[in-house]
Amino acid sequence: MHKLVLTAEERESIDALIDDIVAADENWDPMAAMEHAAEAAPSLPRRLRAFLAQARAAESDVTIVSGLPIHPGLPPTPGGWDLAAKSGAGHREEVALLLCGTALGDPFGWESQQDGRMVHDVCPAPGMEASLTSASSAKTLSLHTEDVFHPCRADYVSLLCLRNPDAVGTTVTRVGSLDIPAPLRDTLRESRFRFYPDDSHTGTSHSAGAAGGAGNPSDGTTGPVLFGPERAPYLRFDIDFMSGEDATAADAITATQEILSNAADRVALEPGDAVFIDNYQVVHGREPFAARYDGKDRWLKRLNISRDIRRLYAGGTNRSRIVPA
Ligand SMILES: O=C(O)CCC(=O)C(=O)O
Ligand SMILES: [Fe+2]
């Protein structure tokens, strides 16, 4: 884990960049905000730029920037991402995340997720307490690769904390910390697993603890769980949205879930903390919590970042940062 704590002076200079971008965008246009953020990112404090460049070059698995500006006039936590989108709450914080995100790579969004918005809201929504999406609260969000089904899923999933009054933990397991027995490792390296689009894309709704969301086999894509260099592999896993192609592969999923859970660390994000989770080396999830829907609930902004947007353009039909899944 790598962490940088910004000074008050650095925070003020980031705030000034945000002022300029918000002022330039009278009618908030997220795509324009992203472009302005990309132009302004070279003006971020030198220490922050160096830290993010180093994280990228060294393939840091969990990278935290602490002390980003959160506006004192932040509105109450909305009761779900759709309400957040309508009210436009937290634009300044979206810009803060875009500034860091464009310093690390190429931000993008999915057409099928949160109305095709680039920056997502992660906040509890009434009726979704037990869902398998980020809107859940009462149930553990199990350790997962973000958008596990997609060959061009994010290289980093980033989360900026606006509120987290109960210090609810984001859970992370780093593949580098695992000791996987050789026979299991061999199975995981074979293309014996099928990965499915999750409920945040399909609009269907499964509950945690039920059968999970593994869909019609024809919807899935197959591949291995572990891939890449033998000694420093990458990982692709989401127990709720994958299945084994045979009984051994199914057993391997159960065994791996146990190993991942036992190795989990937790990061309780505080307002102004942004975490950049390497989506190839780390699976992440969330501890359960009690949503109150009183405007003070936990609230994060989320941004997907690719290290090379062309991987997505090459498989698509146009060069849009909002990509069909
Ligand atoms: O709320 C969290 O800490 C993580 C939620 C999550 O997995 C996500 O938004 O992708
Ligand atoms: Fe996630």
Side-chain angles (χ1 to χ4, degrees):
M1 253 185 238
H2 288 91
K3 183 165 176 171
L4 177 77
V5 181
L6 296 167
T7 63
E9 198 180 324
E10 287 168 332
R11 181 162 45 255
E12 278 159 27
S13 87
I14 296 169
D15 224 14
L17 293 177
I18 297 172
D19 282 341
D20 291 346
I21 293 171
V22 171
D25 267 319
E26 247 172 67
N27 307 311
W28 177 252
D29 171 359
M31 206 57 67
M34 190 275 292
E35 282 162 16
H36 290 144
E39 282 161 27
S43 305
L44 283 168
R46 187 182 170 75
R47 231 165 47 96
L48 175 56
R49 277 185 292 128
F51 176 74
L52 292 173
Q54 164 72 10
R56 183 183 156 104
E59 289 190 80
S60 159
D61 46 21
V62 178
T63 305
I64 298 174
V65 176
S66 197
L68 286 163
I70 301 295
H71 198 265
L74 187 71
T77 302
W81 65 262
D82 42 347
L83 295 175
K86 263 186 219 137
S87 68
H91 283 166
R92 294 186 65 89
E93 290 71 24
E94 294 191 14
V95 174
L97 188 55
L98 284 165
L99 281 165
C100 296
T102 51
L104 198 57
D106 303 329
F108 71 95
W110 301 107
E111 258 177 25
S112 49
Q113 204 176 35
Q114 295 206 6
D115 268 350
R117 288 188 312 140
M118 182 165 320
V119 185
H120 300 153
D121 288 277
V122 175
C123 50
M128 300 288 281
E129 289 82 1
S131 83
L132 297 176
T133 72
S134 64
S136 73
S137 50
K139 298 285 184 189
T140 300
L141 194 55
S142 64
L143 291 162
H144 61 277
T145 299
E146 197 72 5
D147 304 311
V148 70
F149 68 102
H150 205 285
C152 299
R153 59 195 173 278
D155 289 297
Y156 305 98
V157 51
S158 60
L159 303 166
L160 169 61
C161 177
L162 280 55
R163 286 195 181 100
N164 190 11
D166 300 326
V168 175
T170 301
T171 48
V172 287
T173 297
R174 296 167 295 129
V175 66
S177 73
L178 301 178
D179 193 10
I180 305 176
L184 176 57
R185 209 167 52 218
D186 292 345
T187 304
L188 295 175
R189 290 191 78 92
E190 287 167 3
S191 190
R192 290 162 73 172
F193 304 89
R194 194 171 281 275
F195 302 94
Y196 303 92
D198 65 70
D199 291 351
S200 73
H201 288 275
T202 58
T204 42
S205 133
H206 297 90
S207 292
N216 186 333
S218 63
D219 296 338
T221 49
T222 52
V225 167
L226 293 178
F227 56 100
E230 190 98 29
R231 282 165 166 276
Y234 298 126
L235 166 79
R236 179 184 195 186
F237 192 87
D238 183 344
I239 196 156
D240 292 320
F241 295 97
M242 68 191 289
S243 61
E245 294 283 79
D246 54 71
T248 309
D251 289 347
I253 292 175
T254 312
T256 303
Q257 173 68 19
E258 170 105 12
I259 291 172
L260 292 173
S261 304
N262 289 339
D265 286 326
R266 68 189 290 278
V267 181
L269 296 171
E270 293 179 14
D273 288 355
V275 62
F276 300 85
I277 298 168
D278 185 328
N279 200 34
Y280 273 57
Q281 299 188 71
V282 183
V283 284
H284 67 279
R286 183 181 56 223
E287 296 169 348
F289 65 103
R292 291 180 289 250
Y293 309 121
D294 61 356
K296 296 180 190 137
D297 275 321
R298 187 174 186 271
W299 184 14
L300 315 178
K301 293 280 180 183
R302 178 179 66 193
L303 178 66
N304 281 309
I305 303 163
S306 172
R307 286 174 65 110
D308 180 4
I309 194 66
R310 277 205 195 175
R311 293 202 331 258
L312 284 148
Y313 290 170
T317 48
N318 60 26
R319 291 182 183 166
S320 165
R321 288 291 182 105
I322 305 301
V323 187

